[in-house]
Amino acid sequence: TGTISSLQRQMEIQESELRRIRSENEMLQKQLREREVQLQAVSDKFCSLTEEQRQEEVTVMMEEENRNLQQVVTEQESQLAEQNQLISELQETISQLRAEVVTTRLHLLEQKQALNEIQSQAEALQHKELQTRVALERTSTKFDRYRSKIIQATFSVEGIQDPPAELTDDEVLEAMQKIINERMEFQQRLKNKGSK
């Protein structure tokens, strides 16, 4: 936004300079018209003189006026050429500044869209994390119930002492394996004796 404001200020300055030059241009053209009016006045004055005086006066005055006018025209043409060149440069600068403003606005729009997309992804991840936490809590609760049932089934067997304290998973597995081994040995003994 700061870049756009800076570019717009530069563009306003350039446009103001362009208006000033155009105003000077109009002033030069006005001066040319005034010269033409003066020349017409001189011409009207000579019309009232005698033919001979008129011819002499006209010749001298016209030559002098022509020199003056030629010099003025040359100077003003030079100034006009310089101002036209400056106008062209200013218009080019203004066009570049406008293009930069458009580019900057497009860049800001892209950044805003990217930010919105990132925020949307973050919200989706948060939602997924919440779902995962809920699923994990459910799984953990099921596992605790299952573990409790295993412990209860394992230590409810006759001849197995109740655990003295909180059991680790390895201790529960060891107790279960012990029961399984004892049953397998018992079955093997029965089989060896021919019992069904």
Side-chain angles (χ1 to χ4, degrees):
T1 304
T3 304
I4 289 176
S5 298
S6 176
L7 289 172
Q8 287 176 335
R9 281 198 299 274
Q10 292 181 33
M11 196 161 62
E12 289 170 0
I13 292 169
Q14 297 290 339
E15 288 175 343
S16 175
E17 182 70 12
L18 184 60
R19 286 194 297 271
R20 184 186 66 78
I21 290 172
R22 283 179 175 161
S23 176
E24 290 179 0
N25 204 351
E26 290 173 1
M27 189 175 295
L28 288 172
Q29 290 175 349
K30 183 179 177 184
Q31 289 177 358
L32 276 174
R33 287 194 295 272
E34 289 174 355
R35 289 288 185 175
E36 288 175 357
V37 170
Q38 291 175 1
L39 188 59
Q40 185 63 41
V42 171
S43 178
D44 292 342
K45 176 185 173 185
F46 291 148
C47 289
S48 64
L49 298 174
T50 64
E51 187 64 30
E52 188 178 342
Q53 289 175 329
R54 189 183 304 165
Q55 288 180 357
E56 286 184 21
E57 195 74 20
V58 165
T59 302
V60 172
M61 292 292 291
M62 286 296 287
E63 287 178 356
E64 182 179 354
E65 190 64 24
N66 280 340
R67 284 193 298 271
N68 291 337
L69 285 174
Q70 189 64 39
Q71 184 177 358
V72 169
V73 168
T74 303
E75 291 174 356
Q76 290 185 345
E77 284 177 348
S78 175
Q79 289 179 3
L80 283 173
E82 290 177 1
Q83 288 182 348
N84 285 334
Q85 176 67 24
L86 185 55
I87 286 171
S88 177
E89 291 173 359
L90 287 172
Q91 286 175 336
E92 185 178 351
T93 302
I94 289 170
S95 297
Q96 290 175 351
L97 289 172
R98 283 177 177 160
E100 288 180 22
V101 167
V102 171
T103 303
T104 304
R105 283 179 176 164
L106 285 174
H107 185 59
L108 286 174
L109 182 60
E110 289 173 359
Q111 287 183 332
K112 186 177 180 180
Q113 289 174 344
L115 180 60
N116 289 338
E117 186 176 346
I118 290 171
Q119 287 176 339
S120 176
Q121 290 176 355
E123 289 172 2
L125 286 173
Q126 287 176 346
H127 183 65
K128 192 171 183 180
E129 181 188 10
L130 180 60
Q131 289 179 330
T132 305
R133 285 180 184 273
V134 171
L136 182 62
E137 287 176 4
R138 288 178 182 170
T139 304
S140 179
T141 303
K142 286 182 180 179
F143 176 77
D144 288 342
R145 285 201 302 267
Y146 182 65
R147 185 176 185 276
S148 177
K149 287 180 180 179
I150 290 174
I151 293 172
Q152 184 179 357
T154 301
F155 290 95
S156 65
V157 175
E158 188 177 347
I160 300 293
Q161 295 181 351
D162 290 336
E166 183 71 22
L167 293 173
T168 65
D169 292 340
D170 289 338
E171 289 172 337
V172 173
L173 287 173
E174 185 179 345
M176 286 180 64
Q177 189 64 47
K178 182 177 179 183
I179 293 170
I180 292 169
N181 290 339
E182 287 175 353
R183 286 188 178 184
M184 288 178 67
E185 288 175 6
F186 181 70
Q187 286 178 350
Q188 187 64 38
R189 286 199 301 271
L190 289 175
K191 190 182 290 185
N192 291 339
K193 289 182 178 182
S195 175
K196 290 184 180 178

